[in-house]
Amino acid sequence: MSEVVVPQHRLKICFVQPVQSPYWTERLRTLANNENLEITLLLERTTFAHRPGWAPETIDGVAIEVLGSSVVSSVRRNDDLGYRVKGVRSIPWRMLFALWRIRPDVTVMCNATQTLLALPIKWLSVGRLALIVEDTSHAMRNLGFLKRWTKGWLYRRVDCCFAFSEDAINYLAQVGIVHGVKRSSWSLDMNSFRPRSFEGLSQAGARETKSEKTIIFIGQLIQRKGVMLLLQAWLELSHETRQRCKLLLVGDGYMRTEMQEFINNHDLNNVNILGHIPYNKVKYLLSSADLLVLPTLEDLFSLTVVEAMASGCAVITTPFAGARELINIEETGWIVDPTVPEALTKTLQHALSEQTDLRRMGLAARARVEEMDNIKVMAEFAQALRQLAGAA
């Protein structure tokens, strides 16, 4: 007699995101390949003005629904490092009704507002709540007491926190959450982010010296990203170094005009602002670059660092980015505080010297992040979701 196979229950998993980003599109596409998962993506809005190119895109195996939300502007002062964070927060009022209709086994959210709106689902015992946490103590340090307390209270209400960095784990511990925390991470399709061809490698495996080097910055052209600190550091490099290197600035923002004036006034002919470019072209630029510089004054993590390392770039970043945990000093990059006078200039001068083998470091950077492939990370994420739903 043949064995009777009883189908397993298909778990309903609902992700709530502000908008659909290219990297979440790829992650969910990979997750949908896991059997017995029925995935819904709830989007607060179709796009944001500061995220051109981010729009709903079909994903096989994933139902996508746009909630429509109110948008509230906000300004957060960070006067200790001399910048302010200007942003927007959408409030997806229809989220609760959508969750009640879908009745997911697990709802995966990414911020405190979503958590607040989803709490009735937990109180009515309709599935479990999970929260992706990127927060860091550095980013939260200037919040007022009430905001910090409220955020911590909301985070303690969920069933599981997926911490995307060691900084996030430390932050959760500070708000009293040590149980129900699972370490996860950002991930990429490592096949689409590749180092450039290994042309010029000697038989010993070392790259022949290349005199001209390409340095790249990717991000918003805003004060928080430290872009003017980067231009100032570039200006202070030796003339010989600047002549044989080029700096590409990818992105846009309210500081673009000021930056262009700085470039023109100081005759920085090897510095180019490229503005926003398509995501696929970003991949090409990264694979052609030698060094990524992210002089950020605050980044919860920064997936750009992972993308650069996967593309074979060494990285200079700061103590204020969660992704610094990927940097091994002098092996995959450097960590420098750009607010310290001359610190970024000295690090750049050293990184761009003929004695520094950026190709070797770039290959080490690629090896460092290869485990952050979508297939591996999302398989682990799927298993964590099954366990959370009690279906493992």
Side-chain angles (χ1 to χ4, degrees):
M1 180 181 297
S2 61
E3 182 179 355
V4 176
V5 178
V6 179
Q8 289 184 314
H9 168 58
R10 283 178 61 82
L11 292 180
K12 290 184 177 182
I13 310 297
C14 187
F15 288 83
V16 188
Q17 291 284 320
V19 294
Q20 187 174 344
S21 65
Y23 34 87
W24 265 108
T25 296
E26 293 302 320
R27 284 164 61 89
L28 290 178
R29 183 171 286 126
T30 303
L31 186 65
N33 291 329
N34 286 270
E35 296 181 355
N36 303 318
L37 294 184
E38 183 178 322
I39 302 173
T40 300
L41 173 61
L42 296 180
L43 301 174
E44 297 179 1
R45 297 182 65 81
T46 55
T47 190
F48 283 124
H50 66 291
R51 298 293 189 186
W54 289 20
E57 176 184 344
T58 300
I59 306 173
D60 289 341
V62 178
I64 300 176
E65 181 178 335
V66 179
L67 297 170
S69 307
S70 303
V71 176
V72 178
S73 299
S74 63
V75 177
R76 178 160 52 87
R77 297 168 60 96
N78 294 275
D79 293 337
D80 52 342
L81 288 178
Y83 69 96
R84 297 183 182 185
V85 179
K86 298 179 181 179
V88 294
R89 169 70 70 192
S90 55
I91 304 175
W93 300 108
R94 300 179 181 88
M95 175 182 162
L96 176 60
F97 304 105
L99 292 178
W100 180 255
R101 171 169 42 83
I102 297 168
R103 305 288 180 94
D105 296 289
V106 181
T107 300
V108 184
M109 304 161 296
C110 64
N111 60 50
T113 302
Q114 295 170 358
T115 304
L116 175 63
L117 294 174
L119 276 183
I121 292 294
K122 177 179 174 65
W123 293 333
L124 294 171
S125 300
V126 182
R128 302 292 186 91
L129 299 183
L131 183 67
I132 292 171
V133 179
E134 294 184 81
D135 300 280
T136 70
S137 300
H138 172 72
M140 300 298 110
R141 71 196 185 287
N142 286 313
L143 287 183
F145 172 79
L146 181 59
K147 288 184 177 179
R148 283 188 284 112
W149 183 89
T150 301
K151 197 178 188 81
W153 184 88
L154 288 169
Y155 281 21
R156 290 192 293 272
R157 306 279 80 78
V158 303
D159 299 291
C160 175
C161 289
F162 289 100
F164 271 30
S165 69
E166 291 303 312
D167 278 349
I169 289 177
N170 293 334
Y171 169 77
L172 289 171
Q174 288 181 12
V175 298
I177 304 174
V178 293
H179 302 293
V181 177
K182 291 185 180 293
R183 182 65 161 91
S184 188
S185 73
W186 281 112
S187 60
L188 299 173
D189 175 7
M190 288 293 165
N191 287 324
S192 66
F193 287 88
R194 305 289 300 180
R196 61 182 175 270
S197 63
F198 297 159
E199 297 173 2
L201 291 181
S202 68
Q203 291 183 350
R207 188 188 61 149
E208 297 175 7
T209 302
K210 171 189 168 188
S211 57
E212 182 181 81
K213 293 183 172 64
T214 299
I215 297 84
I216 191 169
F217 164 89
I218 300 175
Q220 290 180 277
L221 304 185
I222 58 177
Q223 194 174 21
R224 176 172 62 87
K225 292 292 186 176
V227 284
M228 286 304 298
L229 296 173
L230 173 56
L231 286 182
Q232 186 63 47
W234 188 266
L235 178 64
E236 294 169 357
L237 289 172
S238 70
H239 178 74
E240 182 273 334
T241 298
R242 284 191 281 118
Q243 286 299 106
R244 61 179 174 79
C245 297
K246 60 181 178 181
L247 173 62
L248 303 179
L249 304 168
V250 180
D252 213 336
Y254 63 82
M255 295 187 71
R256 180 169 181 169
T257 300
E258 178 184 350
M259 294 172 64
Q260 190 62 63
E261 290 176 352
F262 185 95
I263 292 168
N264 296 340
N265 292 339
H266 294 91
D267 296 321
L268 299 178
N269 299 323
N270 287 353
V271 179
N272 293 299
I273 300 177
L274 302 184
H276 282 295
I277 63 175
Y279 194 55
N280 285 337
K281 191 173 181 182
V282 170
K283 297 177 183 180
Y284 170 77
L285 287 175
L286 283 172
S287 70
S288 303
D290 297 280
L291 177 69
L292 172 83
V293 183
L294 180 67
T296 180
L297 301 177
E298 180 190 311
D299 258 293
L300 298 182
F301 190 81
S302 182
L303 187 59
T304 300
V305 171
V306 185
E307 293 172 337
M309 295 176 73
S311 302
C313 281
V315 172
I316 295 176
T317 191
T318 74
F320 314 126
R324 75 183 186 284
E325 68 184 32
L326 301 174
I327 305 301
N328 299 323
I329 306 299
E330 297 286 348
E331 294 182 16
T332 60
W334 298 268
I335 300 171
V336 58
D337 185 346
T339 66
V340 175
E342 300 184 359
L344 182 55
T345 300
K346 290 179 180 177
T347 302
L348 277 169
Q349 191 70 55
H350 170 65
L352 299 176
S353 69
E354 296 292 351
Q355 289 70 44
T356 301
D357 188 347
L358 288 178
R359 169 51 67 92
R360 176 192 60 78
M361 295 181 68
L363 295 179
R366 166 72 187 197
R368 175 67 178 84
V369 299
E370 280 193 334
E371 291 296 303
M372 298 175 72
D373 184 73
N374 279 342
I375 294 176
K376 180 179 186 299
V377 172
M378 297 314 284
E380 294 172 350
F381 200 82
Q383 182 59 18
L385 291 172
R386 293 187 188 100
Q387 292 174 347
L388 181 57

